[in-house]
Amino acid sequence: NAGVTQTPKFRVLKTGQSMTLLCAQDMNHEYMYWYRQDPGMGLRLIHYSVGEGTTAKGEVPDGYNVSRLKKQNFLLGLESAAPSQTSVYFCASSYALESYEQYFGPGTRLTVT
Amino acid sequence: KQEVTQIPAALSVPEGENLVLNCSFTDSAIYNLQWFRQDPGKGLTSLLLIQSSQREQTSGRLNASLDKSSGRSTLYIAASQPGDSATYLCAVRRGGSRLTFGEGTQLTVNP
């Protein structure tokens, strides 16, 4: 099992450009999540999904969109990147119950200039 | 709003020492608490998961305790090794599938 994988690993964008981050998991997990990690702020939830075709907002959703067309994939989109979106982005997944642990991907380091 | 605090922010110890990392949270209505390890430039590795009905969990040299009523958890690392050097994060889970993270404790174990 590869677990949770993320592509790309690194990316540099200019302000106003768009991009999509891809998260894939091979553990048949129902729940998937996108977090961002910033110095002094910890990890914060951007959006999450409780199943194929469903998404929900997390703590810091503004400026991001997500889609869950397939159970194993969760996409995070930035339509018009801003310097404030410079961060490390982590995807995670878990089984459908709150009692189960979350498994994290290796992260994507995004810089917006 | 749930807040999670980890003390200390950084800790440096000599190899072989036993140590305790602390995590506190403001809202005791949690499903569980999870401890993670993060190496520089890497993702998060889950170490231990404690359900709200449990008092502690053990894995090898690691022992995590949970006192839900007082909003506290500790991660005990026995006989620390240089390979334990990393940032340790705790996170609590409430309803809505959301984890709330602390900012972490950066641990350095010196040979």
Side-chain angles (χ1 to χ4, degrees):
Chain A
N1 284 357
V4 181
T5 58
Q6 294 182 231
T7 53
K9 288 184 170 52
F10 302 94
R11 185 73 186 267
V12 178
L13 288 179
K14 294 185 177 179
T15 298
Q17 288 185 319
S18 64
M19 77 164 294
T20 300
L21 282 67
L22 171 64
C23 176
Q25 53 91 9
D26 61 2
M27 296 174 282
N28 202 33
H29 285 167
E30 287 291 334
Y31 290 3
M32 296 186 75
Y33 317 81
W34 276 108
Y35 294 88
R36 60 178 289 174
Q37 185 177 33
D38 303 289
M41 304 289 288
L43 277 95
R44 293 177 292 168
L45 182 65
I46 305 171
H47 286 279
Y48 64 100
S49 168
V50 298
E52 183 178 319
T54 72
T55 63
K57 293 180 180 180
E59 185 181 358
V60 288
D62 294 342
Y64 305 95
N65 56 76
V66 288
S67 64
R68 183 99 180 268
L69 299 180
K70 294 182 179 181
K71 185 178 182 179
Q72 64 268 33
N73 295 336
F74 194 28
L75 278 63
L76 178 71
L78 286 73
E79 290 186 349
S80 179
S84 62
Q85 294 177 305
T86 294
S87 186
V88 181
Y89 292 85
F90 289 101
C91 176
S93 70
S94 72
Y95 288 110
L97 297 177
E98 280 79 4
S99 59
Y100 286 97
E101 63 190 304
Q102 293 189 12
Y103 294 87
F104 280 74
T108 294
R109 186 173 297 274
L110 174 66
T111 302
V112 182
T113 61
Chain B
K1 178 185 175 185
Q2 178 73 273
E3 293 183 1
V4 180
T5 304
Q6 291 187 246
I7 295 173
L11 181 63
S12 181
V13 300
E15 182 176 3
E17 192 162 297
N18 302 326
L19 58 99
V20 174
L21 307 180
N22 297 293
C23 172
S24 61
F25 47 95
T26 54
D27 187 342
S28 62
I30 63 170
Y31 280 105
N32 53 50
L33 184 145
Q34 199 167 349
W35 281 94
F36 295 89
R37 168 188 173 135
Q38 185 175 27
D39 294 285
K42 304 291 186 182
L44 280 68
T45 301
S46 180
L47 297 173
L48 289 164
L49 173 71
I50 311 178
Q51 304 297 344
S52 62
S53 59
Q54 297 175 320
R55 295 292 295 224
E56 65 179 300
Q57 282 285 339
T58 299
S59 176
R61 293 183 293 107
L62 304 180
N63 176 276
S65 68
L66 175 64
D67 184 343
K68 200 174 72 163
S69 61
S70 67
R72 294 176 188 272
S73 176
T74 62
L75 179 66
Y76 175 82
I77 302 177
S80 58
Q81 303 171 358
D84 295 330
S85 297
T87 296
Y88 291 80
L89 299 163
C90 73
V92 297
R93 190 168 191 177
R94 294 189 64 206
S97 307
R98 173 182 164 178
L99 280 177
T100 302
F101 283 84
E103 291 190 35
T105 294
Q106 186 173 355
L107 173 66
T108 303
V109 181
N110 301 300

